[in-house]
Amino acid sequence: MATTGASVVAEAPKIVWNESNHKFETEDKKAYLQYQLRNEGKVMDIVHTFVPSSKRGLGLASILCVAAFNHAQSHSLSVIPSCSYVFETFLPRNPGWNSLVYGDSLKSSI
Ligand code: COA
């Protein structure tokens, strides 16, 4: 019997950019990454990441971060990792994104 195997492959959740609320969020809006724009919109300060307790530990916060960092990269923005998850967990585990971090300090204030 032919099968694509699609039913056993978990798909990555779709992340939506909510520009007016300065968020990247799941379609149900229950998990999100929130940022503020600084330096005339050239710097994305990631201030908060939230995942509902029932979905924690599955990498959802990391997927939100990848969406935000991809956005920052494609819009030539620097990133301030004010959120402890981004600073303490995401960046050490994904050091390739450190090149986008604002200034010399990994955690900076403007
Ligand atoms: N600061 C830094 N790292 C954290 C953290 C925090 N507050 N909370 C959890 N982590 C780490 C854990 O050590 C965990 O490590 P493990 O993989 O070895 O178990 C890792 O994050 C899990 O990564 P991931 O699965 O990508 O994250 P998640 O989808 O479970 O979501 C949070 C992580 C922090 C967004 C979620 O726990 C949450 O919403 N917490 C409440 C709000 C909060 O504290 N936000 C961060 C500060 S703004």
Side-chain angles (χ1 to χ4, degrees), residues 6-98:
S7 60
V8 296
V9 177
E11 282 187 33
K14 187 178 173 195
I15 305 301
V16 180
W17 178 32
N18 185 333
E19 184 175 10
S20 55
N21 285 342
H22 292 178
K23 285 181 176 178
F24 291 88
E25 59 196 18
T26 49
E27 287 182 298
D28 64 7
K29 300 179 185 286
K30 289 181 180 169
Y32 60 86
L33 175 154
Q34 192 163 21
Y35 64 90
Q36 293 171 3
L37 291 176
R38 304 195 185 281
N39 270 24
E40 298 167 344
K42 293 178 194 153
V43 177
M44 174 191 280
D45 184 352
I46 301 178
V47 293
H48 191 49
T49 313
F50 180 82
V51 170
S53 53
S54 63
K55 293 186 176 170
R56 287 181 192 166
L58 303 173
L60 188 48
S62 174
I63 291 170
L64 288 164
C65 286
V66 168
F69 275 79
N70 268 321
H71 175 93
Q73 186 173 52
S74 63
H75 290 75
S76 301
L77 307 179
S78 299
V79 175
I80 298 176
S82 293
C83 166
S84 62
Y85 170 80
V86 182
F87 182 66
E88 294 172 11
T89 300
F90 178 76
L91 284 173
R93 291 180 184 181
N94 301 275
W97 289 113
N98 276 322

